[in-house]
């Protein structure tokens, strides 16, 4: 076997980075099928552990307890949870069973629909990456559990997302497409499990799609003119990077035309829905603290600088 | 066709970013087979154009002239060239034939061998990405041709690399492996075309491989104790990301033990040698200017933040 390796025991620890024990531990998770979210974000400057359930199914409270125990969090555990009924129930149960001090940040950045198939309230989607990165940097820098919780809620409130799908995804256990869609149609406001969004429409030029998505996002955030923003274009799994960059170009141009400043960007497949074709836009309105925490070094499998 | 697109005419321009015309144009290139280098680095904050030759073969002077013309460089053209005999000859010929003001930065970061199969002097390898990124940010910020050339030489001088290969690559036109290597052997100091390095050795634990590579790099750079450095782990194409992260962990740990501060990182397949299995380490000793230019936004297919 020709591998860059020291020994089998240490291979995971040495490839995904050392865990600092004198910091607040960040723990996230949820159903599988959204890779690299969340396991790809475990490492220095971001998450301490991720719990993966079955495809599109919440992990169980005992997984979460085991993960929390494994990270030896002397300064407490912050759960970062996407707002879906199953995840909320199980993470809350784990939080109650835990002896360690803990708190929870609920991510609900999807502005497409108010309630949905799997949620009471808005869904948590690609903006989760912004919360995990920014709070991860704060925890790494020594922030307390209360400070991390406060910051996480603040990032979530400053973040809004909306997506569109060209095709469905297929959950392996179901063996068939989650939804049917015509060859010239798109689902506007789709969720990351292929859940329905706002409406079904004929496809149209990218800049008009971006106008619809950004319109809903900016109406929700109501940023002050001149605000610096982070613009994230997230692919759902089946869309080429080239198209994601094209969406970025359209979205950044439109934001600038509205007097906003896209000063940071992230373009790629980060919060996927299996092989679904489509993409979402996420905007986070940055203040100086969030911007500097976004810029702080991160060393994970899926995000690193 | 379901694609995020506005029209066919504008698809490349809109996906790879707008070109600013009132800046120094950065033009690079070389043989193919090292993807994403160089075409993946064309975009805002990095290169304006890349010329790709056949696999491991220099592009021709007329390609370079056509590229220089296409970028409308009112403020001059900076060629960034890896030190290989063919590239040097053709880029110099293009530079002489051009009417536009131009200058050249020669990258020769590979400390493994003094002269090699394809070079007089040291080879240009993965450190090219550091030169292209840092000078790209300066050009974007309005630096003059002379300032870009001076900075490029300075980054090259502050950068050193060395690699190791477990397997050979196969050039399609050759149809057979470039070199033979035993199942338990590695080529230490290998080039990015599968050229021989310093010696053939039995494979050993990753931390010992890193010790050898970093030793040669640090001896070459002789950084002042306490220096901030950028640490780049580059895969040659056939090595899993997980192993590259493990190498990063070993290298960062060893740098810190030597009193250096790895404050910026880049881990992934950026300067490849087709499907060769192996990796290189690159260290750039940063000053405040280089660090801030490294951090500046970049919007290309292969590098973006």
């Amino acid at each position: 076997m020709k591998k860059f390796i020291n020994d089998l025991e240490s291979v995971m620890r040495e490839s995904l980075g050392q865990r600092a024990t004198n910091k607040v531990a960040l723990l996230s998770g949820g159903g599988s099928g959204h890779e690299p979210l969340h396991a790809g974000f475990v490492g220095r400057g971001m998450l301490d552990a991720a719990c993966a359930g079955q495809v599109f199914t919440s992990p169980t409270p005992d997984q979460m307890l085991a993960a929390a125990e494994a990270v030896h969090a002397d300064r407490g555990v912050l759960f970062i949870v996407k707002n879906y009924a199953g995840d909320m129930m199980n993470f809350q149960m784990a939080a109650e069973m835990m002896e360690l001090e803990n708190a929870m940040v609920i991510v609900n950045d999807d502005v497409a629909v108010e309630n949905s198939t799997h949620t009471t309230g808005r869904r948590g989607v690609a903006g989760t990456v912004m919360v995990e990165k920014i709070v991860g940097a704060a925890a790494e820098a020594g922030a307390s559990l209360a400070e991390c919780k406060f910051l996480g809620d603040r990032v979530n409130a400053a973040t809004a997302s909306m997506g569109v799908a060209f095709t469905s995804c297929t959950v392996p256990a179901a063996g068939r497409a989650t939804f049917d869609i015509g060859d010239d149609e798109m689902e506007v406001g789709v969720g990351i499990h292929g859940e329905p969004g706002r409406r079904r429409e004929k496809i149209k030029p990218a800049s008009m799609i971006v106008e619809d998505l950004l319109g809903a996002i900016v109406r929700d955030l109501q940023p002050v003119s001149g605000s610096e923003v982070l613009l994230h274009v997230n692919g759902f799994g089946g869309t080429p990077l080239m198209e994601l960059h094209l969406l970025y170009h359209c979205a950044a141009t439109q934001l600038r035309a509205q007097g906003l400043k896209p000063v940071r960007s992230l373009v790629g497949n980060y919060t996927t829905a299996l092989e679904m074709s489509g993409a979402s836009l996420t905007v986070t309105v940055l203040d100086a603290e969030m911007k500097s925490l976004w810029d702080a070094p991160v060393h994970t499998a899926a995000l690193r600088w």
Side-chain angles (χ1 to χ4, degrees), chain A:
Chain A
M1 178 176 73
K2 274 186 170 180
K3 283 196 165 295
F4 291 112
I5 194 173
N6 289 308
D7 63 72
L8 289 172
E9 285 292 305
S10 64
V11 65
M12 278 305 292
R13 181 168 49 78
E14 291 187 347
S15 62
L16 288 176
Q18 281 177 301
R19 168 167 47 75
T21 52
N22 58 343
K23 63 182 277 296
V24 171
L26 262 56
L27 207 155
S28 191
S32 296
H34 305 301
E35 289 69 32
L37 186 88
H38 297 270
F41 301 129
V42 173
R44 201 155 55 84
M46 213 160 162
L47 299 179
D48 293 81
C51 299
Q54 294 297 310
V55 173
F56 296 172
T57 304
S58 172
T60 55
D62 42 307
Q63 273 179 278
M64 297 160 189
L65 286 171
E69 191 156 322
V71 297
H72 298 293
D74 307 334
R75 298 191 56 204
V77 175
L78 185 72
F79 293 104
I80 299 179
V81 186
K82 301 193 297 305
N83 186 36
Y84 295 98
D87 296 83
M88 291 294 295
M89 189 179 73
N90 287 341
F91 272 102
Q92 270 159 357
M93 207 178 295
E96 284 163 21
M97 291 162 73
M98 267 184 72
E99 287 178 13
L100 279 168
E101 196 189 3
N102 66 76
M104 189 180 296
V105 170
I106 300 160
V107 183
N108 63 348
D109 56 313
D110 190 345
V111 300
V113 291
E114 259 316 308
N115 295 294
S116 77
T117 320
H118 306 297
T119 64
T120 306
R122 297 178 2 172
R123 301 172 296 210
V125 291
T128 313
V129 179
M130 280 72 242
V131 176
E132 292 179 355
K133 167 66 184 86
I134 291 172
V135 181
E140 197 70 44
S144 69
L145 181 60
E147 288 164 341
C148 288
K149 154 75 177 160
F150 183 74
L151 175 67
D153 287 344
R154 218 154 59 72
V155 177
N156 179 59
T159 299
S161 303
M162 188 160 147
V164 54
F166 286 164
T167 65
S168 175
C169 49
T170 296
V171 176
R176 56 183 298 280
T178 304
F179 60 92
D180 292 317
I181 185 163
D183 281 350
D184 58 351
E185 290 180 327
M186 59 184 178
E187 179 69 30
V188 179
V190 71
I192 55 172
H193 310 90
E195 314 97 288
R198 292 186 172 190
R199 59 182 180 273
R200 188 64 61 92
E201 255 186 41
K202 297 285 177 201
I203 56 170
K204 52 190 183 183
S207 58
M208 293 174 67
I209 298 174
V210 167
E211 215 171 292
D212 288 350
L213 301 182
L214 269 190
I217 288 169
V218 171
R219 266 192 301 280
D220 181 79
L221 291 174
Q222 307 208 319
V224 176
S225 179
S227 295
E228 294 193 327
V229 302
L230 184 162
L231 171 58
H232 172 34
V233 178
N234 174 55
F236 286 140
T239 290
L241 278 183
M242 186 175 156
E243 293 179 42
L244 301 183
H245 284 280
L246 191 146
L247 289 174
Y248 177 85
H249 168 81
C250 296
T253 305
Q254 292 182 23
L255 285 173
R256 281 190 287 263
Q258 293 174 44
L260 298 172
K261 296 179 184 160
V263 294
R264 292 294 182 274
S265 65
L266 184 69
V267 181
N269 296 290
Y270 292 98
T271 304
T272 60
L274 296 168
E275 77 288 12
M276 190 160 82
S277 161
S280 61
L281 301 182
T282 298
V283 173
T284 300
V285 182
L286 296 169
D287 58 21
E289 182 192 8
M290 290 184 206
K291 189 169 142 189
S292 131
L293 291 168
W294 177 262
D295 287 345
V298 59
H299 172 214
T300 69
L303 212 63
R304 52 186 177 277
W305 52 72

